[in-house]
Amino acid sequence: MVSMVADEKAQPQLLSKKAACNSHGQDSSYFLGWEEYEKNPYDPVSNPGGIIQMGLAENQLSFDLLESWLEANPDALGLRRGGASVFRELALFQDYHGMPAFKNALARFMSEQRGYRVAFDPSNIVLTAGATSANEALMFCLADHGDAFLIPTPYYPGFDRDLKWRTGAEIVPVHCTSANGFRLTRAALDDAFRRAQKRRLRVKGVLITNPSNPLGTTSPRADLEMLLDFVAAKGIHLVSDEIYSGTAFAAPGFVSVLEVLAARGASNAPDADLSERVHIVYSLSKDLGLPGFRVGAIYSSNAGVVSAATKMSSFGLVSSQTQHLLASLLGDREFTRKYIAENTRRIKERRDQLVEGLRGIGIECLESNAGLFCWVRMGSLMTSQSFEGEMELWKKVVFEVGLNISPGSSCHCREPGWFRVCFANMSAKTLDVALQRLADFAEANGSGKGGAAPARRPLAGGPARTMSCPVGRFSWANRLTPGSADRKAER
């Protein structure tokens, strides 16, 4: 008889603990909504009953402007300079500090977006493979394993992955509320700092998104002043993720923290070293709509941060071919000026289409002035004003209505009923289809304006099916509430 003892022994761990752990955040409703969309993507011709992707903050509104520029500038795409091939030059190893022509053009473009109220020094720019890489590199530079960053809620769900997964850093939420439009307050910052201390976490800094993802609002100058006061008093860092800086389409407009910092520096001697603790993250993914190009940047006046982040950038370089192309595009000042103006006009137009359509259904949005999404209050469609009710509605919207939107709980919002709804990654006709589907759902559930949604003209491409929601598959959803997540983390 053959012994089975060897087979009964525990199998060796083939993966590392990091690879096997479940701290990536991939089981968030934010990511799982994407998975469902990818299984059944909407197409007006081939799959009119598919899921419409409204959970992806992608800017597809101005591709025609970029394509027209490429047609008029074939050398940039053809790897030529002055008609001569630069293929061999670009194919060889490049310094991971980045190509000077591209860094100079990027620095000028970032200044242009801020009305030249801020001047960027190319030597303080570190190129990275997108903003994801930039944020993670900054965490490696500023925080040790177990150190914490404070982040105002609601915040971009991907931060749980980008900032924590490989670095071992912790996130302590700064709880903001709808009572003041989710604006950051000193009281909320102080509360988060105390909670971090109670957990014996060393707070190394605050990270904000300005304009905010998911709120679609810019940070008022007064709030930035207050935030600088806070980090100055605590002796900690401030990271301002400004990847949506070129999307602000209405007053009060976008103000970079560097602009506020420069004004303070001229009159406030104690802030002399504060400039070395303020860092900017930027990317061309949102303003130019080029997430596939993987172009991000860290901007810092701290020589130590720039040096360390540059070394880390060797693990996620921007290709020399991409830098060559974008150096030419961003170097065309007439084009970038016209592009910024037209792009923001189109963003506002599409945002207004969404807001007006939702208002006709009886659904309101937080007043916004930037970004590629709206922060939408959908409590009127929920069977109960709870996070369980929010998850129930989210599953119905994904599986029955055929729209992938992001529930507020995935953004760590403490108030149930809020959803992030993206509008810039689709045509106006597709957005009409999405609004019609939601109107039909609201009417069927008696939750529209005045008890029922107003009559709307019939649109082609409505959902061709009603799918039963696989509750078992999404049993995790009932656990994804900010309250329970915070309690678990703060024990």
Side-chain angles (χ1 to χ4, degrees):
M1 181 176 179
V2 179
S3 174
M4 301 296 291
V5 173
D7 292 337
E8 294 172 357
K9 291 182 178 179
Q11 294 297 311
Q13 179 69 44
L14 298 179
L15 298 178
S16 70
K17 291 181 180 179
K18 178 59 65 179
C21 76
N22 193 33
S23 60
H24 181 277
Q26 200 71 29
D27 61 349
S28 163
S29 52
Y30 171 73
F31 290 109
L32 287 172
W34 282 24
E35 290 182 12
E36 295 306 316
Y37 162 76
E38 289 167 357
K39 295 174 187 175
N40 184 28
Y42 168 81
D43 183 273
V45 176
S46 63
N47 191 25
I51 295 174
I52 296 175
Q53 174 62 289
M54 305 186 83
L56 179 61
E58 201 170 61
N59 181 8
Q60 298 185 26
L61 301 182
S62 299
F63 273 157
D64 61 311
L65 304 180
L66 298 172
E67 289 167 341
S68 294
W69 186 91
L70 290 173
E71 289 179 6
N73 295 270
D75 273 12
L77 197 57
L79 306 184
R80 293 187 296 272
R81 186 185 301 121
S85 173
V86 292
F87 170 75
R88 293 190 180 188
E89 173 188 335
L90 298 176
L92 298 176
F93 280 115
Q94 299 290 330
D95 189 335
Y96 56 47
H97 288 78
M99 297 172 65
F102 173 59
K103 291 180 74 174
N104 290 336
L106 180 62
R108 188 202 59 79
F109 182 66
M110 293 169 67
S111 299
E112 182 179 30
Q113 287 177 317
R114 293 157 179 81
Y116 295 101
R117 296 181 298 272
V118 176
F120 288 88
D121 182 348
S123 65
N124 290 343
I125 291 178
V126 180
L127 299 179
T128 63
T132 293
S133 178
N135 277 310
E136 185 188 55
L138 274 176
M139 290 302 105
F140 274 122
C141 289
L142 304 178
D144 289 314
H145 193 283
D147 289 344
F149 262 72
L150 311 182
I151 304 183
T153 64
Y155 65 75
Y156 165 55
F159 281 155
D160 294 320
R161 169 201 64 194
D162 301 351
L163 307 181
K164 296 171 53 178
W165 187 46
R166 297 198 301 181
T167 68
E170 296 288 339
I171 292 175
V172 176
V174 182
H175 296 304
C176 303
T177 73
S178 61
N180 68 346
F182 295 98
R183 284 182 61 176
L184 183 63
T185 66
R186 179 61 186 259
L189 284 167
D190 288 334
D191 173 69
F193 196 89
R194 285 192 297 267
R195 286 187 284 111
Q197 289 182 315
K198 195 171 183 180
R199 293 172 55 189
R200 301 184 181 277
L201 295 173
R202 182 172 60 163
V203 176
K204 295 303 294 290
V206 181
L207 186 148
I208 63 169
T209 56
N210 180 28
S212 168
N213 177 9
L215 299 179
T217 57
T218 54
S219 297
R221 182 181 290 270
D223 293 7
L224 295 174
E225 286 276 11
M226 176 273 296
L227 183 55
L228 287 172
D229 286 340
F230 177 80
V231 298
K234 300 296 184 183
I236 58 178
H237 294 272
L238 171 61
V239 176
S240 180
D241 187 328
E242 299 183 355
I243 66 171
Y244 292 97
S245 56
T247 68
F249 53 78
F254 170 71
V255 177
S256 172
V257 70
L258 290 185
E259 182 182 342
V260 180
L261 182 64
R264 288 169 61 101
S267 59
N268 198 346
D271 285 349
D273 68 335
L274 183 57
S275 62
E276 295 199 347
R277 289 186 279 112
V278 176
H279 321 279
I280 301 295
V281 167
Y282 184 62
S283 166
L284 297 180
S285 296
K286 309 303 180 181
D287 297 344
L288 283 184
L290 301 175
F293 278 31
R294 308 310 305 144
V295 179
I298 297 168
Y299 186 85
S300 177
S301 297
N302 187 314
V305 168
V306 170
S307 176
T310 301
K311 295 171 187 174
M312 291 179 188
S313 71
S314 63
F315 298 101
L317 297 173
V318 181
S319 76
S320 55
Q321 178 184 358
T322 299
Q323 292 186 56
H324 169 76
L325 167 60
L326 294 177
S328 298
L329 188 148
L330 296 181
D332 187 337
R333 297 191 178 196
E334 182 180 0
F335 169 76
T336 57
R337 177 178 55 81
K338 291 180 179 179
Y339 175 90
I340 291 172
E342 177 62 14
N343 184 56
T344 53
R345 187 196 69 78
R346 294 182 184 187
I347 291 173
K348 183 181 186 303
E349 182 179 65
R350 192 60 52 81
R351 174 262 186 192
D352 289 348
Q353 179 186 353
L354 173 63
V355 171
E356 291 168 9
L358 291 174
R359 187 173 293 133
I361 304 172
I363 298 173
E364 294 297 323
C365 305
L366 183 72
E367 186 66 29
S368 62
N369 68 328
L372 308 175
F373 32 72
C374 286
W375 191 235
V376 181
R377 190 161 212 167
M378 300 178 67
S380 62
L381 300 179
M382 291 161 48
T383 56
S384 68
Q385 300 305 306
S386 64
F387 288 110
E388 289 75 15
E390 179 180 287
M391 286 295 100
E392 179 187 8
L393 174 61
W394 175 74
K395 288 181 280 188
K396 287 180 179 178
V397 170
V398 172
F399 287 96
E400 297 179 16
V401 184
L403 308 177
N404 176 38
I405 60 178
S406 303
S409 54
S410 71
C411 302
H412 299 268
C413 182
R414 295 188 91 185
E415 301 175 19
W418 292 93
F419 291 79
R420 190 190 76 163
V421 180
C422 300
F423 56 76
N425 63 328
M426 66 190 72
S427 69
K429 289 183 178 180
T430 298
L431 182 53
D432 265 343
V433 173
L435 289 167
Q436 180 67 69
R437 290 184 182 186
L438 198 57
D440 292 344
F441 174 76
E443 184 175 17
N445 287 271
S447 304
K449 195 172 185 179
R456 293 170 59 92
R457 60 184 175 85
L459 294 172
R465 76 288 176 267
T466 299
M467 299 174 60
S468 60
C469 184
V471 177
R473 165 75 171 85
F474 284 85
S475 59
W476 52 269
N478 293 324
R479 300 194 302 272
L480 291 179
T481 66
S484 62
D486 286 352
R487 285 195 296 272
K488 182 177 181 181
E490 293 176 20
R491 285 195 184 122

